[in-house]
């Protein structure tokens, strides 16, 4: 008798599965930056002075295109590789919550605001009366890392975690995570743009504090883009996430910006005002109002469980009504009689069976999510973290385990 042999998937298979889980816009940015670097490498192009963000050229010649070309070009293989490896988990998490088109707009907004902050700081420092420092006006900056720092700040505030691990070596408070990375990269790496990374952090905080709310379009803007026939091929892609959609299994915690009344500048009031901007998990069963900064069908963990139970009860009641309506003694139509011919009883039974099958499939998805959650809890993971990780992984337990292990690391 042959012994039972457990084999693991090969490296190529695991890489394909990992890449298939990356959403549309995130993977598109990775491919675009990689192709641009490859073309520059093969063609021998290294005149980055023509495309980098150079404040002096933007001011004197109004070369605004540098704001967007600078984020797509990278100076070395390690530069593009490190930035793209950092982008994949951040972009995947935010794209699953916001949607593909909304994340693309966010990247465009962050690139613009980063450049504006960069330009303002460089101009101010260059024209200090006592000690002018014109070096920043002639600093040539390229790379996607400015937007990545902004996304780090946004994702950290959205997740609500209390601490973050720095390269798996030590943990720091979440509110200092981006600043610690800023200092470490400046000390460990050479030829790094301190001002570019700093402006990325400032843009991230400005976004989370709601300072860019007037620059965020409404849901109708994204719906009109998603319904355009020009993007129909993109929308049909498996990794494309609609802005009106959400996670298939469970719900993610939602950013809460509920404001509190302020009566003076006492320490208690100041702390309440500051804590109102921090991510919080509600315990009520009502669904929180949608925040334009962090859109999606995000619900609190407590309300997600109550919502699942309520949905299951309503589905059972609906199934009972459908079965009653399919009986001969109970007419299916309750509207007043019209001149149009009524459908046959066979047609009604077909519609009822399709509806019942659809509801049963939905209930099966909820049951599968609960079963996988119980397995993760039995493995020793904390239930709240397991539920968030499983929701972020779209119900895939292997991906959820990787998320939980990375958080523990």
């Amino acid at each position: 008798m042959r012994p039972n042999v457990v084999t693991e998937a090969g490296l190529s298979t695991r890489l394909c599965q990992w890449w298939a889980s990356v959403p549309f816009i995130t993977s598109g940015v990775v491919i675009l930056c990689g192709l641009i670097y490859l073309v520059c490498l093969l063609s021998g192009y290294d005149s980055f002075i023509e495309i980098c963000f150079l404040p002096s050229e933007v001011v004197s010649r109004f070369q605004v295109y540098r704001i967007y070309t600078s984020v797509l070009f990278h100076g070395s293989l390690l530069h593009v590789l490190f930035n793209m490896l950092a982008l994949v988990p951040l972009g995947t998490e935010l794209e699953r919550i916001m949607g593909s088109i909304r994340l693309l707009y966010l990247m465009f907004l962050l690139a613009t605001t980063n450049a504006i902050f960069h330009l303002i700081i460089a101009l101010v420092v260059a024209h200090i009366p006592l000690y002018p420092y014109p070096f920043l006006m002639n600093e040539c900056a390229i790379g996607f890392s400015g937007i990545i720092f902004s996304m780090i700040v946004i994702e950290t505030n959205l997740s609500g975690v209390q601490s973050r691990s720095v390269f798996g070596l030590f943990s720091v408070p979440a509110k200092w995570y981006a600043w610690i990375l800023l200092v470490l990269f400046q000390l460990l790496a050479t030829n790094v743009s301190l001002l570019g990374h700093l402006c990325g952090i400032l843009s991230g905080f400005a976004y989370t504090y709601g300072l860019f709310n007037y620059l965020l379009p409404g849901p109708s803007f994204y719906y009109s883009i998603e319904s355009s026939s020009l993007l129909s091929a993109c929308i049909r892609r498996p990794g494309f996430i609609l802005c009106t959609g959400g996670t298939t299994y469970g719900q993610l915690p939602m950013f809460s910006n509920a404001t509190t009344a302020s009566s003076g500048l006492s320490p208690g009031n100041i702390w309440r005002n500051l804590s109102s901007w921090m991510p919080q998990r509600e315990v009520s069963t009502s669904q929180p109002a949608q925040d334009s900064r962090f859109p999606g069908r995000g619900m609190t963990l407590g309300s997600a469980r109550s919502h699942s139970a309520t949905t299951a009860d309503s589905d059972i009641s609906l199934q009972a009504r459908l079965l009653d309506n399919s009986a001969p003694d109970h007419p299916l139509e309750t509207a007043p009689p019209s001149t149009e011919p009524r459908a046959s009883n066979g047609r009604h039974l077909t519609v009822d069976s399709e509806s019942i099958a659809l509801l049963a499939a939905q209930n099966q998805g909820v049951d599968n999510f609960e079963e996988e959650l119980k397995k993760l809890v039995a493995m020793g993971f904390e239930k709240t973290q397991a539920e968030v990780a499983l929701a972020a992984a779209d119900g895939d337990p292997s991906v959820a385990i990787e998320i939980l292990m990375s958080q523990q690391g």
Side-chain angles (χ1 to χ4, degrees), residues 71-404:
V71 302
L72 299 176
F73 285 78
H74 294 80
S76 65
L77 177 61
L78 287 179
H79 190 195
V80 64
L81 185 63
F82 192 86
N83 279 353
M84 295 303 103
L85 287 178
L87 171 64
V88 168
L90 290 170
T92 299
E93 181 71 16
L94 293 178
E95 187 168 355
R96 286 174 176 174
I97 297 174
M98 296 183 173
S100 298
I101 298 298
R102 204 184 299 262
L103 179 65
L104 181 62
Y105 179 81
L106 174 64
M107 291 180 177
F108 174 81
L109 177 63
L110 293 176
T112 305
T113 55
N114 289 355
I116 293 175
F117 283 138
H118 193 141
L119 188 61
I120 291 175
I121 295 176
L123 286 172
V124 170
V125 174
H127 294 85
I128 295 178
L130 297 179
Y131 189 76
Y133 191 71
F135 171 75
L136 295 179
M137 291 294 297
N138 299 316
E139 183 185 54
C140 184
I142 59 174
F144 207 82
S145 54
I147 298 179
I148 291 176
F149 267 88
S150 300
M151 297 173 69
I152 289 175
V153 175
I154 295 172
E155 195 275 334
T156 301
N157 280 271
L158 177 61
S159 64
V161 296
Q162 299 300 321
S163 63
R164 279 291 171 88
S165 176
V166 179
F167 306 127
L169 300 177
F170 57 93
S171 297
V172 297
K175 61 181 179 180
W176 298 108
Y177 180 63
W179 301 104
I180 297 296
L181 290 180
L182 175 68
V183 174
L184 287 180
F185 282 126
Q186 198 64 30
L187 294 176
L188 300 178
T190 60
N191 200 22
V192 173
S193 175
L194 173 64
L195 184 56
H197 294 170
L198 175 62
C199 293
I201 295 177
L202 295 179
S203 293
F205 278 112
Y207 183 87
T208 56
Y209 289 164
L211 301 182
F212 295 159
N213 281 356
Y214 63 95
L215 299 175
L216 302 178
S220 59
F221 171 79
Y222 303 107
Y223 178 77
S224 62
I225 295 179
E226 292 173 347
S227 60
S228 173
S229 58
L230 299 177
L231 297 180
S232 58
C234 296
I235 294 176
R236 288 195 296 266
R237 300 285 297 178
F240 191 93
I241 301 176
L242 296 176
C243 295
T244 55
T247 56
T248 307
Y249 302 93
Q251 303 292 341
L252 289 174
M254 191 60 184
F255 188 95
S256 173
N257 68 334
T259 57
T260 57
S262 176
S263 58
L265 297 178
S266 62
N269 289 332
I270 294 176
W271 171 249
R272 283 194 296 269
N273 291 334
L274 292 177
S275 62
S276 65
W277 292 104
M278 299 302 295
Q280 298 175 358
R281 292 183 174 88
E282 304 290 342
V283 296
S284 62
T285 57
S286 59
Q287 182 175 354
Q290 179 168 311
D291 193 327
S292 59
R293 293 165 292 169
F294 304 102
R297 294 192 308 174
M299 296 175 60
T300 58
L301 296 178
S303 61
R305 288 188 289 267
S306 301
H307 176 73
S308 301
T310 305
T311 304
D313 294 340
S314 61
D315 292 343
I316 295 174
S317 300
L318 181 56
Q319 293 179 17
R321 290 198 302 270
L322 290 173
L323 292 175
D324 292 340
N325 290 335
S326 63
D329 297 334
H330 298 82
L332 181 62
E333 301 290 341
T334 58
S338 60
T339 56
E340 298 179 358
R342 295 184 60 182
S344 62
N345 291 334
R347 175 60 178 170
H348 292 322
L349 292 175
T350 303
V351 174
D352 294 343
S353 60
E354 292 177 355
S355 302
I356 293 174
L358 179 60
L359 294 174
Q362 294 176 354
N363 291 335
Q364 183 66 27
V366 176
D367 294 339
N368 291 338
F369 180 83
E370 295 296 336
E371 291 177 1
E372 299 297 341
L373 178 60
K374 292 179 180 179
K375 292 179 181 179
L376 293 178
V377 174
M379 295 172 63
F381 295 110
E382 199 272 328
K383 185 175 182 180
T384 301
Q385 296 180 355
E387 188 169 2
V388 174
L390 192 60
D394 288 343
D396 190 341
S398 59
V399 178
I401 292 176
E402 293 181 2
I403 295 175
L404 292 169

